[in-house]
């Protein structure tokens, strides 16, 4: 037909669900956490979350140290999967139904887990965000030659 075929980026559902199905086929129990299913694919983890497996594990450890997972409303999701679910939602913003299918749960369960983890992440990371005042911004003007009029917000 003369039109070029363009490859499309896989959706979160395509990526995670294919790994999950592959793991489920190879695992007689089939009750493995999603984290275990994709840990061998660090590029996929980065694509889905913007984080490395190591940085996610560090965050999980920090949250565990502050007992952030003690009051998680769902007890059959592992701490790493709860954090992974939340980071995927923050980065990709997929429908909760898509996340639910990947983690073999319901959209309402995902909502509870994500809401809980967001609050705990805010508590943990609140002091990491530094907002500049007007004077600080003025001092940055012209400092970066490649970015003449730069205004940024990094997620």
């Amino acid at each position: 037909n003369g039109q070029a075929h363009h490859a499309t980026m896989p959706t979160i559902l395509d990526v995670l669900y294919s790994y999950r199905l592959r793991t489920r086929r190879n695992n007689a129990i089939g009750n493995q956490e999603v984290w275990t299913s994709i840990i061998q694919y660090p590029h996929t983890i980065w694509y889905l979350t913007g984080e490395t497996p190591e940085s996610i594990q560090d965050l999980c450890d920090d949250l565990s140290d502050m007992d952030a997972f003690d009051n998680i409303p769902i007890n059959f999701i592992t701490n790493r999967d709860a954090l992974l679910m939340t980071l995927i939602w923050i980065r990709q913003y997929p429908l909760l139904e898509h996340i639910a299918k990947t983690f073999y749960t319901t959209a309402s369960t995902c909502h509870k887990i994500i809401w809980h983890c967001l609050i705990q992440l805010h508590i943990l990371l609140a002091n990491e965000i530094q907002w500049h005042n007007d004077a600080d911004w003025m001092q940055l003007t012209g400092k970066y030659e490649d970015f003449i009029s730069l205004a940024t917000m990094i997620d």
Side-chain angles (χ1 to χ4, degrees), residues 34-50:
V34 173
W35 175 264
T36 304
S37 302
I38 67 166
I39 187 64
Q40 61 190 341
Y41 305 102
H43 288 94
T44 299
I45 293 172
W46 180 86
Y47 168 73
L48 293 171
T49 67

Side-chain angles (χ1 to χ4, degrees), residues 88-154:
I88 289 170
W89 184 81
I90 291 170
R91 176 73 175 216
Q92 301 287 333
Y93 201 65
L95 294 173
L96 288 177
E97 288 78 7
H98 289 183
I99 294 179
K101 187 172 182 179
T102 301
F103 287 85
Y104 293 103
T105 188
T106 65
S108 64
T109 296
C110 291
H111 178 266
K112 291 174 188 173
I113 291 169
I114 290 169
W115 184 253
H116 179 82
C117 286
L118 285 174
I119 292 168
Q120 298 305 315
L121 284 168
H122 173 74
I123 292 167
L124 177 67
L125 302 172
N127 293 329
E128 299 296 320
I129 298 173
Q130 297 177 5
W131 297 102
H132 295 292
N133 60 33
D134 289 343
D136 292 338
W137 280 114
M138 292 308 293
Q139 288 179 353
L140 293 173
T141 302
K143 187 173 183 177
Y144 301 98
E145 295 174 13
D146 293 338
F147 301 102
I148 297 170
S149 298
L150 177 66
T152 60
M153 180 66 171
I154 301 172

Side-chain angles (χ1 to χ4, degrees), residues 6-19 22 43-45 47-48 88 92 94 98:
H6 297 286
T8 58
M9 289 294 289
T11 66
I12 174 187
L13 187 60
D14 298 332
V15 173
L16 271 179
Y17 200 62
S18 67
Y19 290 130
R22 192 174 316 136
H43 288 94
T44 299
I45 293 172
Y47 168 73
L48 293 171
I88 289 170
Q92 301 287 333
H98 289 183

